[in-house]
Amino acid sequence: MSRRYFGTDGVRGRANASLTADLALRVGMAAGLVFQRGDYRHRVVIGKDTRLSGYMLENALVAGFTSVGMDVLLLGPMPTPAVGMLTRSMRADLGVMISASHNPFDDNGIKLFGPDGFKLSDEVEREIEELIDEDLAKRLAKPAEIGRARRLEGVHARYIEYAKRTLPRNQSFEGIRVVVDCAHGAGYRVAPEALWELGAEVISIGVEPDGMNINRDVGSTSPAALAAKVREVRADIGIALDGDADRVMIVDEKGHTVDGDQLMAVIAESFKEDGRLARDGLVATVMSNLGLERHLAGEGITMARTGVGDRYVLERMRADGYNVGGEQSGHIILSDYSTTGDGLVAALQVLAVVARQEKPVSEVCHRFDPLPQILKNVRYLDGAPLENEKVKIAIADAERRLSNHGRLLIRPSGTEPVIRVMGEGDDRDLVETVVDEVIDALKRAAA
């Protein structure tokens, strides 16, 4: 069954175009009805990032939830992992994060968390979808049973304390100069404060949100600004979050970017050394570099692969008992602590290794030499370029040429009209050639 509203990461679209206040209202009503499972007073927590459209969607969701009798607790700008944590900690029936993560400001999204703090299953999302288009007038709360809404104070401190407690009690980052880039997003208050409280010298960028500058030339998807600042102030490390702070990239003292594959290796090896690595393995996606897999094997650590998307990584972790997983893009899931990717918590774990080893970040975070990997995107307006016959021929030819030397991965994005083409192998020239040929075919089909 195809889904009309939910994608791979909640409901997402262009604000006031495909994602309207009316749709948010109906999502609130439908989700509220699905999660009313008893006679007690139900409640939902709502967080958001710093997008201008967050005000509109927040108020629409409040109207939807309260209209079916749910009380609403408003968190304001908070990281996605904080919403998951607070949903569970505060015994809420449902959690909501209003964010489009790393996308531009004019996109937005609605992510839903169950009472356990985990994102909803496909089955529950389908149940909500079925209700969105129904006439719900007869299921509205009676006047005396309409929900109440109030804004919570002190939740930022609560999340900061939670993040700090993922480290040993006596952990200190004193003497470490950190530049943190918060992407003008949801982590702009909590990340610098948590790092400062742990003793680091903190220089912050990307902490002046205006509703429209989230992810613009800053954050984990645009690390150049962070790299320049690290070199300028001679910092020991740079930490870049994305718009909703569920992913992280690191910049070493030389200004070089460290991706999620290297970070997973650092954390997994640290956990194994401490006897904390479940199943002596981790979960990554098909996008993770083959060099990571080879390196981990040499360290006695297995690597399971899933499809692209942190939800699939988490599903595999929960099903098979892993406690470390993530994506090359910087989604790092540490299930001993979080129910989703947490950029701040992952960064703290890496900093703890840096502090313990007393070595430069360029040494600590370079665990393997990645194989040449080329990733390019093609944006399209409509249609299905992958169904084009000439595109199919180009893909088949590329796979044949790479078959004994690497791999080719082609997938449409689950959150935007983009097709991603990734090639990997020992021969960089060959990889680049076959990727470019597939990209050219896709561009002609999408024209």
Side-chain angles (χ1 to χ4, degrees):
M1 169 183 166
S2 62
R3 300 196 292 175
R4 181 177 177 187
Y5 301 112
F6 284 89
T8 56
D9 198 15
V11 180
R12 190 175 291 193
R14 190 174 176 84
N16 245 8
S18 59
L19 183 53
T20 62
D22 178 65
L23 177 55
L25 171 73
R26 299 193 64 80
V27 169
M29 295 168 67
L33 288 169
V34 167
F35 278 85
Q36 287 190 22
R37 302 174 178 181
D39 295 329
Y40 60 92
R41 194 76 182 175
H42 295 79
R43 61 180 181 172
V44 54
V45 297
I46 300 180
K48 61 181 181 178
D49 64 23
T50 57
R51 292 163 212 268
L52 181 62
S53 56
Y55 293 100
M56 173 187 76
L57 297 174
E58 180 184 60
N59 284 312
L61 284 163
V62 169
F65 284 119
T66 55
S67 73
V68 296
M70 292 192 86
D71 292 335
V72 179
L73 305 174
L74 296 169
L75 307 177
M78 287 287 283
T80 288
V83 174
M85 182 272 289
L86 290 166
T87 300
R88 181 170 55 179
S89 173
M90 302 182 73
R91 296 182 65 186
D93 300 280
L94 191 62
V96 182
M97 179 64 182
I98 304 169
S99 175
S101 190
H102 59 283
N103 284 20
F105 91 95
D106 44 5
D107 287 339
N108 216 329
I110 301 170
K111 306 179 188 182
L112 301 176
F113 296 85
D116 57 0
F118 290 96
K119 293 177 183 177
L120 304 186
S121 67
D122 290 341
E123 291 72 26
V124 175
E125 288 182 347
R126 288 192 188 97
E127 191 177 350
I128 294 170
E129 279 217 339
E130 290 175 7
L131 284 177
I132 288 175
D133 289 327
E134 287 187 13
D135 181 2
L136 301 177
K138 294 181 180 179
R139 301 186 64 177
L140 296 179
K142 297 175 183 178
E145 296 173 354
I146 292 172
R148 300 173 185 269
R150 63 187 175 94
R151 197 163 293 277
L152 293 180
E153 303 295 334
V155 287
H156 295 89
R158 192 164 176 169
Y159 172 69
I160 289 169
E161 195 59 30
Y162 145 82
K164 288 163 57 180
R165 288 189 178 185
T166 66
L167 299 171
R169 187 177 295 274
N170 61 347
Q171 181 69 63
S172 171
F173 299 144
E174 191 166 347
I176 300 177
R177 179 176 293 179
V178 179
V179 178
V180 59
D181 177 355
C182 300
H184 300 303
Y188 81 99
R189 287 180 58 185
V190 294
E193 188 167 336
L195 291 163
W196 182 84
E197 289 184 10
L198 286 163
E201 178 186 348
V202 182
I203 297 99
S204 303
I205 64 174
V207 290
E208 298 177 352
D210 63 9
M212 293 179 284
N213 61 358
I214 187 170
N215 299 316
R216 187 197 297 159
D217 300 324
V218 286
S220 63
T221 53
S222 300
L226 176 62
K229 194 67 176 178
V230 166
R231 288 191 292 264
E232 176 193 335
V233 301
R234 297 184 180 180
D236 299 297
I237 188 172
I239 298 169
L241 305 176
D242 68 337
D244 68 336
D246 68 348
R247 70 167 73 179
V248 64
M249 285 286 179
I250 296 295
V251 168
D252 67 23
E253 78 283 359
K254 300 176 182 178
H256 298 151
T257 302
V258 180
D259 69 11
D261 282 351
Q262 299 281 358
L263 301 183
M264 281 189 284
V266 171
I267 295 170
E269 289 176 54
S270 172
F271 276 29
K272 182 177 172 69
E273 184 180 330
D274 294 341
R276 293 188 290 150
L277 185 64
R279 296 202 57 178
D280 278 342
L282 59 79
V283 181
T285 76
V286 292
M287 295 297 290
S288 279
N289 197 280
L290 185 58
L292 170 63
E293 190 169 0
R294 292 174 177 174
H295 168 75
L296 292 175
E299 299 295 323
I301 299 172
T302 62
M303 189 174 98
R305 289 188 187 264
T306 72
V308 176
D310 61 318
R311 68 181 297 172
Y312 303 115
V313 172
L314 184 57
E315 284 173 5
R316 183 68 179 272
M317 292 173 67
R318 296 180 73 186
D320 294 343
Y322 293 94
N323 64 348
V324 175
E327 297 185 278
Q328 189 182 62
S329 61
H331 279 120
I332 309 295
I333 304 172
L334 306 175
S335 59
D336 289 346
Y337 313 123
S338 303
T339 58
T340 185
D342 192 322
L344 176 59
V345 167
L348 295 183
Q349 303 306 309
V350 172
L351 268 172
V353 177
V354 172
R356 183 168 69 237
Q357 295 189 359
E358 297 182 336
K359 295 179 180 177
V361 173
S362 57
E363 293 183 32
V364 173
C365 292
H366 184 80
R367 297 298 167 114
F368 64 93
D369 292 322
L371 269 66
Q373 190 178 76
I374 307 295
L375 174 63
K376 295 187 178 182
N377 299 329
V378 174
R379 186 172 290 273
Y380 61 98
L381 295 177
D382 52 35
L386 288 175
E387 298 302 315
N388 182 279
E389 197 59 35
K390 291 183 178 179
V391 170
K392 291 181 179 179
I393 292 171
I395 292 172
D397 182 61
E399 289 176 334
R400 177 185 58 78
R401 294 165 66 188
L402 272 181
S403 59
N404 297 320
H405 309 283
R407 62 192 182 107
L408 183 72
L409 179 67
I410 299 171
R411 67 178 187 90
S413 169
T415 59
E416 52 185 331
V418 166
I419 295 172
R420 309 192 194 283
V421 180
M422 190 274 282
E424 181 181 56
D426 294 303
D427 185 338
R428 183 179 185 87
D429 290 339
L430 175 61
V431 172
E432 192 152 19
T433 297
V434 299
V435 167
D436 285 343
E437 289 175 357
V438 172
I439 288 288
D440 288 342
L442 282 167
K443 285 181 176 177
R444 286 193 294 269

